[in-house]
Amino acid sequence: MTAVRSVAAGMNGQIKMLSIKNLHASVGDREILRGVNLEVPTGQVHAIMGPNGSGKSTLSYVLAGRDGYDITDGSIVFGGEEIVETPAEERAAKGIFLAFQYPLEIPGVATMTFLKAAMNAQRKARGEAELTTPDFMRRVKVAAEKLNVTQEMLRRPLNVGFSGGEKKRNEILQMALLEPKLAILDETDSGLDIDALKTVSDGVNALRAPNRSMLVITHYQRLLDHIVPDVVHVMAAGRIVRSGGPELALELEANGYADYVGAAAA
Amino acid sequence: MNAEPRILNTPAEVTLAEAFSASRGHLPGDAAVAAARAVAFDAFQKKGLPHRRTEAWRYTDLRVLLRSVPPAPPAAPASIASAALLPGLDRARLVIVDGAYRPELSDLSGLDGVEVTSLATLLDQGDERVGALAGRLDDAMVALNTAMMTGGVAIRVPAGLDVTRAVEIAHVTSGAYSVFARNLISVGAGASLRVVESFTGPDAAASVANIVTEAVIGDRAKVTWAKLQAEGNAAVHLSTTAVSIGGESQFDHLTLMTGASISRSQSFVTYGGEFARAGLFGATMIGGKQHADIMLGVDHAVPNGASRELFKAVMDGKADGIFQGRIVVRPGAQKVDGKMMTQGLLLSEDASFSVKPELEIFADDVQCAHGATSGEIDEDMLFYLLSRGLPRAEAETLLVTAFLAEAIEGLGDEAIGEAFEQVARDWLADRKTLS
């Protein structure tokens, strides 16, 4: 590995949690990310909006380290460290968390067992002591109550038979327990009714912190009424094509993505 | 087919014929048993070892796989190390070493009211239970067992007795010997019994065990039965379980296969009375060049029976996993409900899984279905676990354990299930160390 960069500071002198430069990623012969540039300072919430097929979900998977993507060019620097070659489980231990658009159902693995295994695996990777069972139980209880995650859900196999809303609440529960430095929320609003959206958004907002950044990926503006971002980026055809304040989301809601789809194709 | 004896015998068949000639004079049993042995050996010789054109054995060709047959165990009883198998599972133990029941090594506490007899004693006295079910099977290896059986154990649970402590029938092979054991289990009407059958032996010993168990389960009885095949890595394991289940009885059976070089475990379940329910489960975990074949025959001879079959197999290395399942619904056996599912998980490119489910239905008002799947570890599930920080090996172990757990838990006995799941976790831990 080449020399690890010291913590990168941006133009404004802000500490960068995440710095993506000229990122190209392909699946087979198909290039999906075509030069993504994105900087997320520590403590900020950035939203990425864009039409279907623009590469938003691919970006979230590539950041989390999923196999099956060829990174053909560019860099991902997280907390001052290049992570393009870092396996998914190590990225998680370093503090990257992906809330899945479609959380997986894992039959035969009790939710509690999974939570404990994940928390302790990350602690072990960071050289920290494993949690005692009472400490673990207390943390789960506190976090679960805030998200209306019942004890009954925690006893069930992971996500098996959970409703869409229960699955998303379970994702945010994992996020609360794993305390990531960077949380990527992939279409967290999809499949949620308005009440569930509020519960999930409140859960996410409660986790906003000066030392934590978030990347909120969404097709619709409505999630951003609840989780108000510092910066909104528009993604089209595998690139960030425009960035602005929260008002940009409202503009997209009014005008749609037609301009960007056209511009990207040109 | 004509009954003309085959001229060409394999070396193993020649050795078996010599072994029968040499031992027939001093095998246990009265004159009737001796005559039955001769008839059975004749039947075996006419069939010869099962081979690939024997449909029920098509994936386990013993003419090819069984190159030689080891000698009979020594007359002096072998001493054996105490087993560390299934720690934490409370159970009585009936120990059978090299095909002979060894009361002095056994623990019968908690079995008050249960009759436990050495099979050799029953053969000498004559007992109608011997061969009552096995005699109906048209199978060369069962015939060979009938000819050569040396011992085993018979368990009789009287009607209405609820035996809460599990009973282990622990088969231990002490070295590279040929072992022929026969066990009998009778569970009276309304009684209940939890059976654990274990098979162990030392690594690198090319033993051949041929074990037949006959079980008659009475009306309204409840039997839970878990088999653990954890033979040594050079062993050949050939076992047959023939069970008849009475009306309104409940029979749950689990076969866990993880040991031996070549193994074949066949179970035949016949419904003797209406409204009986059987749950038949399997969990195979093999690697290297292991070959493990599970054969299941379910015979719905009467109406209103229900059966559920769930067989899972995990293959690593160059292992071959096999499942053959056959559900027969006899004419007039209406309202039968039979569902069979088989799932294979391949952990390596060179492993294989062969499945042959069969339904033979001669009644028109039944519900029967079968399904089979085979695949690798689900990449999406694996990524989900990795993305939460679980190391790859731990994530794979969790997914494989969960895959097998559904079959192991199907047995519905928490204590036995937990002990068997630990066997699965240990296997996965060993696999991780090896890779």
Side-chain angles (χ1 to χ4, degrees):
Chain A
M1 198 162 128
T2 52
V4 176
R5 282 196 237 177
S6 59
V7 175
M11 287 182 300
N12 308 329
Q14 294 156 314
I15 307 295
K16 295 290 182 265
M17 178 68 78
L18 177 69
S19 175
I20 303 173
K21 290 210 164 62
N22 190 36
L23 186 64
H24 289 255
S26 312
V27 174
D29 291 338
R30 201 158 61 91
E31 187 170 52
I32 300 171
L33 301 184
R34 307 201 296 191
V36 174
N37 290 291
L38 176 69
E39 300 216 319
V40 182
T42 302
Q44 288 199 357
V45 174
H46 284 212
I48 297 184
M49 301 183 71
N52 292 327
S54 58
K56 303 189 301 292
S57 281
T58 296
L59 178 62
S60 71
Y61 284 144
V62 166
L63 289 175
R66 186 179 184 135
D67 287 343
Y69 296 96
D70 292 326
I71 310 300
T72 52
D73 201 1
S75 72
I76 306 169
V77 175
F78 171 69
E81 202 180 329
E82 173 62 63
I83 58 162
V84 162
E85 301 292 335
T86 307
E89 62 272 31
E90 290 177 28
R91 294 190 200 192
K94 286 178 193 298
I96 294 182
F97 177 88
L98 170 63
F100 281 56
Q101 181 178 3
Y102 303 109
L104 274 291
E105 296 191 5
I106 318 259
V109 177
T111 304
M112 282 297 247
T113 310
F114 162 76
L115 291 174
K116 195 170 185 189
M119 288 170 79
N120 279 334
Q122 293 201 12
R123 295 177 72 87
K124 202 171 158 192
R126 292 193 295 259
E128 299 164 17
E130 292 196 355
L131 292 170
T132 62
T133 300
D135 190 10
F136 165 74
M137 298 297 283
R138 191 177 60 247
R139 287 174 189 232
V140 172
K141 188 166 181 284
V142 169
E145 273 171 10
K146 285 184 191 161
L147 289 157
N148 288 332
V149 172
T150 61
Q151 291 298 311
E152 194 270 333
M153 279 169 69
L154 293 170
R155 278 193 297 271
R156 271 160 40 195
L158 185 56
N159 290 326
V160 175
F162 284 26
S163 71
E166 286 174 334
K167 284 180 184 171
K168 295 297 170 78
R169 267 148 51 202
N170 197 19
E171 291 293 284
I172 305 307
L173 172 68
Q174 292 169 42
M175 175 175 154
L177 292 171
L178 294 170
E179 301 177 320
K181 295 192 177 91
L182 171 68
I184 304 155
L185 286 78
D186 187 10
E187 308 274 0
T188 292
D189 51 330
S190 70
L192 294 187
D193 62 28
I194 194 70
D195 293 331
L197 181 65
K198 184 151 190 340
T199 307
V200 166
S201 304
D202 288 350
V204 172
N205 285 329
L207 295 171
R208 290 178 83 144
N211 59 352
R212 177 173 294 139
S213 305
M214 296 188 191
L215 200 53
V216 179
I217 292 170
T218 182
H219 185 85
Y220 300 104
Q221 183 267 339
R222 86 174 175 159
L223 177 66
L224 305 181
D225 287 342
H226 299 271
I227 305 171
V228 180
D230 298 298
V231 178
V232 173
H233 305 276
V234 181
M235 192 163 184
R239 288 189 193 92
I240 303 290
V241 294
R242 198 176 157 197
S243 302
E247 70 287 351
L248 180 52
L250 296 169
E251 184 191 315
L252 289 168
E253 186 72 3
N255 300 336
Y257 292 112
D259 295 349
Y260 299 98
V261 175
Chain B
M1 286 294 283
N2 58 37
E4 205 176 301
R6 292 178 312 113
I7 308 297
L8 209 60
N9 285 319
T10 68
E13 286 167 343
V14 172
T15 312
L16 286 165
E18 289 166 1
F20 182 63
S21 299
S23 64
R24 59 187 302 178
H26 47 85
L27 287 168
D30 57 12
V33 170
R37 289 182 186 278
V39 169
F41 197 80
D42 195 41
F44 167 71
Q45 275 202 307
K46 280 177 182 147
K47 285 177 187 294
L49 287 169
H51 52 90
R52 64 193 157 79
R53 290 186 311 281
T54 313
E55 190 56 32
W57 285 80
R58 64 178 294 173
Y59 300 102
T60 302
D61 185 337
L62 288 185
R63 284 193 195 162
V64 174
L65 294 171
L66 201 62
R67 298 249 168 76
S68 62
V69 176
S79 62
I80 51 155
S82 64
L85 210 61
L86 303 170
L89 179 66
D90 177 58
R91 78 274 195 189
R93 286 190 95 212
L94 310 177
V95 179
I96 296 163
V97 181
D98 297 331
Y101 174 50
R102 299 276 294 273
E104 81 282 9
L105 300 176
S106 301
D107 167 14
L108 276 67
S109 53
L111 301 187
D112 298 339
V114 178
E115 189 184 291
V116 176
T117 321
S118 163
L119 188 92
T121 307
L122 289 187
L123 289 174
D124 288 338
Q125 295 169 351
D127 191 292
E128 80 290 347
R129 284 179 289 170
V130 182
L133 296 175
R136 296 184 209 160
L137 299 173
D138 180 25
D139 184 280
M141 300 317 287
V142 172
L144 183 63
N145 178 282
T146 300
M148 304 283 283
M149 59 187 167
T150 55
V153 72
I155 301 171
R156 194 199 298 267
V157 181
L161 184 66
D162 179 17
V163 186
T164 52
R165 194 178 196 208
V167 184
E168 178 184 6
I169 303 173
H171 287 271
V172 183
T173 309
S174 69
Y177 307 120
S178 281
V179 172
F180 295 94
R182 174 75 59 103
N183 302 308
L184 305 172
I185 297 178
S186 333
V187 181
S192 71
L193 184 67
R194 299 160 69 220
V195 180
V196 174
E197 240 187 326
S198 70
F199 298 85
T200 54
D203 279 344
S207 56
V208 178
N210 179 334
I211 318 284
V212 174
T213 303
E214 302 177 73
V216 176
I217 295 168
D219 293 346
R220 299 177 311 283
K222 183 178 189 308
V223 173
T224 305
W225 184 331
K227 166 180 173 172
L228 170 59
Q229 187 276 95
E231 304 259 24
N233 60 12
V236 175
H237 172 91
L238 307 166
S239 86
T240 304
T241 305
V243 186
S244 153
I245 59 177
E248 297 173 48
S249 65
Q250 188 178 335
F251 175 61
D252 289 293
H253 186 269
L254 165 68
T255 303
L256 190 150
M257 302 268 265
T258 187
S261 166
I262 295 159
S263 59
R264 156 90 169 185
S265 184
Q266 43 185 21
S267 303
F268 300 95
V269 180
T270 303
Y271 286 68
E274 294 189 36
F275 299 102
R277 293 193 296 133
L280 305 163
F281 305 93
T284 295
M285 299 167 286
I286 50 173
K289 291 181 175 173
Q290 282 179 289
H291 172 107
D293 180 346
I294 290 185
M295 157 84 197
L296 176 68
V298 178
D299 187 348
H300 284 281
V302 298
N304 293 306
S307 67
R308 182 178 173 231
E309 292 86 17
L310 178 62
F311 285 79
K312 303 247 189 175
V314 180
M315 278 73 50
D316 200 2
K318 295 180 174 175
D320 292 326
I322 296 133
F323 173 78
Q324 291 189 82
R326 183 190 218 186
I327 300 178
V328 178
V329 181
R330 301 271 169 195
Q334 306 295 4
K335 306 286 183 192
V336 159
D337 181 354
K339 287 186 187 65
M340 179 158 62
M341 177 50 110
T342 315
Q343 295 177 325
L345 185 60
L346 299 166
L347 299 181
S348 102
E349 296 273 321
D350 298 320
S352 75
F353 186 45
S354 308
V355 181
K356 188 160 74 89
E358 294 172 274
L359 297 176
E360 280 185 29
I361 302 173
F362 301 101
D364 58 7
D365 184 15
V366 300
Q367 279 199 347
C368 284
H370 69 75
T373 65
S374 180
E376 298 164 14
I377 286 184
D378 186 298
E379 285 296 322
D380 292 330
M381 288 189 191
L382 184 62
F383 173 61
Y384 190 62
L385 298 181
L386 294 176
S387 79
R388 299 304 185 246
L390 270 71
R392 184 170 287 263
E394 191 179 337
E396 286 184 357
T397 296
L398 206 57
L399 291 175
V400 176
T401 311
F403 170 79
L404 293 168
E406 193 186 359
I408 295 173
E409 287 166 9
L411 186 68
D413 186 303
E414 206 169 309
I416 294 175
E418 177 47 43
F420 274 55
E421 277 180 26
Q422 190 56 48
V423 174
R425 285 191 289 269
D426 291 346
W427 181 81
L428 287 159
D430 286 349
R431 169 185 173 262
K432 219 167 28 180
T433 343
L434 293 174
S435 60

